[in-house]
Every structure is written in structure tokens, then in C-alpha cells.
């Protein structure tokens, strides 16, 4: 049985939602421990914010647990040669998010530029950090694969390798993460003529290490995913129409 997600036909549920342990990335914390670390970290931060005297102790401790949940790396595990991620399911190279699972984000904006210009700018993936504030870098590996580094909660970094698996020139770019990624994700960007400009529509689905808790933690740190994407698209509009991003904050704006 098939269904349509992001304009692309896929199986009803993609397989390989597991994050296998990766010696190359140094992941040594299993899924269950990462979930528990995320829950405990969020609880400590929430409690610390209400208890002024304990804030200096609880906030760093909570942040370190969230970093452990997001990155799957633990210095204590490494020091003792412990690896709770080892032996988790391994499967095919694709590790994306099934239909109806994870967190879904959709945003759009109209930009006064032709579709072909916007398509070419986005297709050069190393341009993405110019307007995606949460991205530190995108490094192209080959024609279809790239390495992404993003800013995570509490100053942590999240990395994954993605592949472009569907592309229609001047219309569509679709990507998905590969196995070993710290965050399973899939998405697409659509370029549709709209009057004198182009509607740019982004659809994103991702599965944070701590499930739905990851979105709650992101909100706690002022980084709600839907708002991030909306602001990213505003910055893209400024880059394409004015050649630069204004320094004014868009936090209270709307598309």
C-alpha cells in the first residue's frame, strides 16, 4: 500500500526508523537511555527555573542530560568502555520518518523571484546556512549526499547525512536522512509560480531523539520548529530579493 508524502509516493510506513549505533559518529547511548536522559533533563530545567537557589546547579545538569539525549554520546560511557547503543537494529541505508510519525512542519512564503532562480539557489545546498539560522554548515559529499550540522538545545550540535531522492528541475527537491543520523528526518521544498513571483513551500517531518519531548524542549529554549522554518523562509526572501538579511528580529512576524 502506498501513500503520498511531500508530493512523493512512498510506502505506507518507511522502515528503518531505528538509529543504529555508529562507531564513526561515536554514539554510545541507546534509544531508551536517550529518552530517559531527555525526560530527566527537561524536568531538571523546569524545576530549576522555579527554584532560584538551585538554578545554577540544575540548569547545567539538565542541559548536559538533554545534550546526551540529542547527541547520543556520553563521556562516562566512553571512559568505561560502555556502549548501550551497540546491538540496536541495523537495516538499510535509509533511516527516515514514517507517515504519521514524528513531528510535521509546513510553511510557505511568496518570493519575488522566478522558480528557476530559487531552485538553483536551494539546490546548491551549501547556501542553506545563509538563511537557515539553526544550521551551522552543509557539506556536499557527492551529487546526491550531503553532511548537515545543526544547532541543538542547550548549545549542543546535531549532525546527519542526507540524500536527495527526488528532484524535478525548477519544481521540487526532496531529501531524507540516512542511517547513523542523530535525527531521522525527511522533507521537501516546492517551487510554484505565483503571479510575478514564486511560492516556496517547505514540508518537513522529523523524529527527535526524545520523540515529542524534543519539540517541548525546543520550545523551552525558544526554538519551536515551525517558527524556525517560518523565520528561515523570511530570511530566504530577503537574501533573494535584497541580497542580504536584515538585522531586525522576525520573532513576532507572520508570513
Amino acid at each position: 500500500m502506498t501513500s503520498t508524502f511531500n508530493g512523493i509516493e512512498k510506502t505506507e510506513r518507511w522502515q528503518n526508523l531505528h538509529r543504529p549505533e555508529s562507531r564513526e559518529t561515536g554514539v554510545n547511548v541507546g534509544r531508551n537511555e536517550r529518552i530517559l536522559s531527555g525526560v530527566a533533563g527537561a524536568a531538571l530545567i523546569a524545576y530549576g527555573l522555579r527554584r532560584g537557589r538551585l538554578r545554577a546547579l540544575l540548569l547545567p545538569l539538565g542541559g548536559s542530560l538533554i545534550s546526551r539525549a540529542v547527541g547520543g554520546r556520553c563521556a562516562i560511557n566512553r571512559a568505561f568502555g560502555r556502549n548501550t547503543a551497540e546491538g540496536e537494529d541495523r537495516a538499510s541505508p535509509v533511516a527516515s520518518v514514517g507517515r504519521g510519525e514524528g513531528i510535521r512542519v509546513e510553511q510557505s512564503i511568496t518570493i519575488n523571484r522566478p522558480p528557476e532562480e530559487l531552485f538553483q539557489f536551494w539546490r546548491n545546498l551549501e547556501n542553506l546556512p545563509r538563511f537557515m539560522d539553526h544550521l551551522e554548515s552543509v557539506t556536499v559529499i557527492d551529487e546526491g549526499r550531503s553532511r548537515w550540522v545543526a544547532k541543538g538545545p542547550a548549545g549542543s550540535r546535531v549532525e546527519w547525512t542526507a540524500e536527495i531522492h527526488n528532484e524535478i528541475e525548477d519544481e521540487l527537491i526532496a531529501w531524507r536522512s540516512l542511517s547513523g543520523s542523530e535525527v531521522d528526518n525527511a522533507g521537501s521544498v516546492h517551487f510554484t509560480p505565483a503571479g510575478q513571483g514564486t511560492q516556496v513551500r517547505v514540508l518537513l517531518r522529523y523524529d527527535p531523539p526524545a520523540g515529542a519531548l524534543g519539540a517541548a524542549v525546543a520550545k523551552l529554549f525558544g526554538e519551536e520548529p515551525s517558527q524556525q522554518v517560518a523565520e528561515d523562509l523570511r530570511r530566504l526572501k530577503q537574501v533573494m530579493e535584497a541580497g542580504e538579511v536584515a538585522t531586525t528580529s522576525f520573532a513576532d512576524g507572520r508570513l
Side-chain angles (χ1 to χ4, degrees), residues 21 28-31 33 68 77 82-88:
E21 175 272 339
N28 59 13
V29 181
R31 287 187 300 277
E33 280 195 33
R68 186 177 190 263
N77 279 5
R82 182 172 179 266
N83 190 338
T84 57
E86 197 165 23
E88 291 185 342

Side-chain angles (χ1 to χ4, degrees), residues 13-22 27 29-32 34-35 85 87-98 101 177-185 207-209:
R13 289 174 60 87
W14 289 349
Q15 302 297 316
N16 316 316
L17 297 179
H18 306 294
R19 284 178 201 82
E21 175 272 339
S22 171
V27 173
V29 181
R31 287 187 300 277
N32 291 337
R34 292 171 76 168
I35 292 172
E88 291 185 342
D89 293 341
R90 300 170 185 267
S92 75
V94 177
S96 289
V97 185
E101 299 187 4
S177 60
L178 300 179
S179 65
S181 298
E182 294 180 350
V183 177
D184 293 341
N185 66 91
D207 183 19

Side-chain angles (χ1 to χ4, degrees), residues 1 12 16 30 40 44 46-47 66 70 78 85 124 138 147 150 176 181 183 190 193 196 224 227 232 239 249 252:
M1 180 177 180
E12 180 69 24
N16 316 316
L44 286 175
Y47 187 78
I66 290 173
V70 171
R78 185 168 59 251
N124 182 0
V138 178
R147 185 69 178 170
R176 60 190 176 192
S181 298
V183 177
H190 304 251
Q196 299 299 312
E224 203 281 326
Q227 184 65 27
D232 288 343
V239 168
S249 172
D252 298 324

